[in-house]
Amino acid sequence: MMKVFIKDVGRSIELFFFVAIGLYLVYNFGERFYGTYGITFTGNIWVNWFGLSYFLFVLYALLMGLVFFKNVKFYNDFLTSKMSWALLGVSIFILVIPFIKGENPF
Protein backbone atom coordinates (compact mmCIF):
# COMPACT_ATOMS: atom_id res chain seq x y z
CA MET A 1 0.00 0.00 0.00
CA MET A 2 2.79 2.42 0.87
CA LYS A 3 4.66 1.60 -2.35
CA VAL A 4 1.64 2.59 -4.40
CA PHE A 5 1.32 5.84 -2.47
CA ILE A 6 4.99 6.70 -3.06
CA LYS A 7 4.66 5.96 -6.78
CA ASP A 8 1.56 8.15 -6.98
CA VAL A 9 3.38 10.98 -5.23
CA GLY A 10 6.25 10.60 -7.70
CA ARG A 11 3.87 10.79 -10.68
CA SER A 12 2.22 13.87 -9.16
CA ILE A 13 5.62 15.53 -8.80
CA GLU A 14 6.35 14.74 -12.47
CA LEU A 15 3.07 16.38 -13.51
CA PHE A 16 3.69 19.42 -11.33
CA PHE A 17 7.20 19.72 -12.79
CA PHE A 18 5.83 19.94 -16.34
CA VAL A 19 3.14 22.42 -15.32
CA ALA A 20 5.86 24.59 -13.75
CA ILE A 21 8.17 24.27 -16.78
CA GLY A 22 5.28 25.15 -19.10
CA LEU A 23 4.42 28.21 -17.02
CA TYR A 24 8.03 29.36 -17.03
CA LEU A 25 8.39 28.92 -20.80
CA VAL A 26 5.10 30.62 -21.63
CA TYR A 27 5.76 33.66 -19.46
CA ASN A 28 9.42 34.09 -20.34
CA PHE A 29 9.62 32.98 -23.95
CA GLY A 30 6.07 32.81 -25.32
CA GLU A 31 5.70 36.48 -26.17
CA ARG A 32 9.12 36.63 -27.85
CA PHE A 33 8.53 33.40 -29.78
CA TYR A 34 5.12 34.37 -31.12
CA GLY A 35 6.27 37.98 -31.55
CA THR A 36 8.99 36.96 -34.01
CA TYR A 37 6.14 35.81 -36.27
CA GLY A 38 4.14 39.00 -35.77
CA ILE A 39 1.61 37.41 -33.41
CA THR A 40 0.57 39.46 -30.38
CA PHE A 41 0.62 37.27 -27.29
CA THR A 42 -2.23 38.62 -25.19
CA GLY A 43 -5.43 37.28 -23.74
CA ASN A 44 -5.89 34.10 -21.74
CA ILE A 45 -2.41 32.72 -22.10
CA TRP A 46 -3.24 30.02 -19.56
CA VAL A 47 -4.64 28.10 -22.53
CA ASN A 48 -1.23 28.24 -24.18
CA TRP A 49 0.29 27.24 -20.86
CA PHE A 50 -1.88 24.11 -20.74
CA GLY A 51 -1.06 23.25 -24.35
CA LEU A 52 2.68 23.58 -23.88
CA SER A 53 2.74 21.80 -20.51
CA TYR A 54 0.74 18.84 -21.77
CA PHE A 55 2.76 18.62 -24.99
CA LEU A 56 6.02 18.49 -23.00
CA PHE A 57 4.58 15.87 -20.65
CA VAL A 58 3.56 13.64 -23.56
CA LEU A 59 7.05 13.89 -25.05
CA TYR A 60 8.46 12.90 -21.65
CA ALA A 61 5.98 10.02 -21.29
CA LEU A 62 6.85 8.76 -24.78
CA LEU A 63 10.53 8.80 -23.96
CA MET A 64 10.07 7.11 -20.60
CA GLY A 65 7.45 4.60 -21.74
CA LEU A 66 9.10 3.54 -24.98
CA VAL A 67 12.78 3.75 -24.06
CA PHE A 68 13.55 3.66 -20.35
CA PHE A 69 10.62 2.13 -18.46
CA LYS A 70 8.85 -0.14 -20.93
CA ASN A 71 7.20 -2.27 -18.22
CA VAL A 72 5.86 0.51 -15.98
CA LYS A 73 2.06 0.35 -15.85
CA PHE A 74 1.57 4.12 -15.65
CA TYR A 75 3.35 4.81 -18.93
CA ASN A 76 1.77 1.84 -20.68
CA ASP A 77 -1.70 2.94 -19.62
CA PHE A 78 -1.00 6.56 -20.52
CA LEU A 79 0.36 5.73 -23.99
CA THR A 80 -2.56 3.41 -24.82
CA SER A 81 -5.26 5.79 -23.56
CA LYS A 82 -7.42 7.37 -26.25
CA MET A 83 -8.04 10.38 -24.00
CA SER A 84 -4.32 11.15 -23.68
CA TRP A 85 -3.95 11.15 -27.48
CA ALA A 86 -7.07 13.30 -27.90
CA LEU A 87 -5.65 15.81 -25.40
CA LEU A 88 -2.36 15.76 -27.30
CA GLY A 89 -4.28 16.75 -30.44
CA VAL A 90 -5.93 19.59 -28.53
CA SER A 91 -2.61 20.79 -27.14
CA ILE A 92 -1.01 20.79 -30.60
CA PHE A 93 -4.02 22.72 -31.91
CA ILE A 94 -3.57 25.26 -29.09
CA LEU A 95 0.09 25.73 -29.98
CA VAL A 96 -0.44 25.95 -33.76
CA ILE A 97 -3.69 27.95 -34.10
CA PRO A 98 -2.02 31.34 -33.43
CA PHE A 99 0.13 30.77 -36.53
CA ILE A 100 -2.93 29.97 -38.63
CA LYS A 101 -5.07 32.87 -37.39
CA GLY A 102 -2.22 35.36 -37.04
CA GLU A 103 -3.21 36.15 -33.46
CA ASN A 104 -3.66 34.40 -30.15
CA PRO A 105 -7.43 33.71 -30.18
CA PHE A 106 -7.60 32.60 -26.54
Side-chain angles (χ1 to χ4, degrees):
M1 184 73 166
M2 189 63 160
K3 271 181 132 175
V4 173
F5 176 74
I6 291 172
K7 287 180 182 179
D8 289 343
V9 168
R11 301 292 176 240
S12 299
I13 291 170
E14 287 177 347
L15 292 171
F16 178 75
F17 176 74
F18 282 99
V19 167
I21 291 292
L23 180 66
Y24 175 78
L25 291 174
V26 164
Y27 274 107
N28 291 312
F29 299 106
E31 186 171 3
R32 280 187 266 158
F33 177 73
Y34 284 111
T36 58
Y37 297 98
I39 301 167
T40 56
F41 195 62
T42 58
N44 293 328
I45 62 170
W46 67 269
V47 177
N48 302 87
W49 171 31
F50 163 77
L52 182 61
S53 296
Y54 190 78
F55 181 76
L56 292 174
F57 179 72
V58 169
L59 290 179
Y60 169 77
L62 279 170
L63 179 69
M64 298 304 276
L66 297 177
V67 178
F68 296 113
F69 298 111
K70 294 179 182 178
N71 297 328
V72 174
K73 186 177 180 343
F74 173 79
Y75 296 116
N76 290 333
D77 290 347
F78 182 79
L79 295 176
T80 57
S81 168
K82 291 177 184 174
M83 180 63 91
S84 66
W85 292 107
L87 286 174
L88 176 62
V90 169
S91 70
I92 291 172
F93 176 77
I94 288 169
L95 296 174
V96 172
I97 195 68
F99 295 105
I100 295 170
K101 293 192 80 167
E103 65 179 2
N104 188 14
F106 308 111

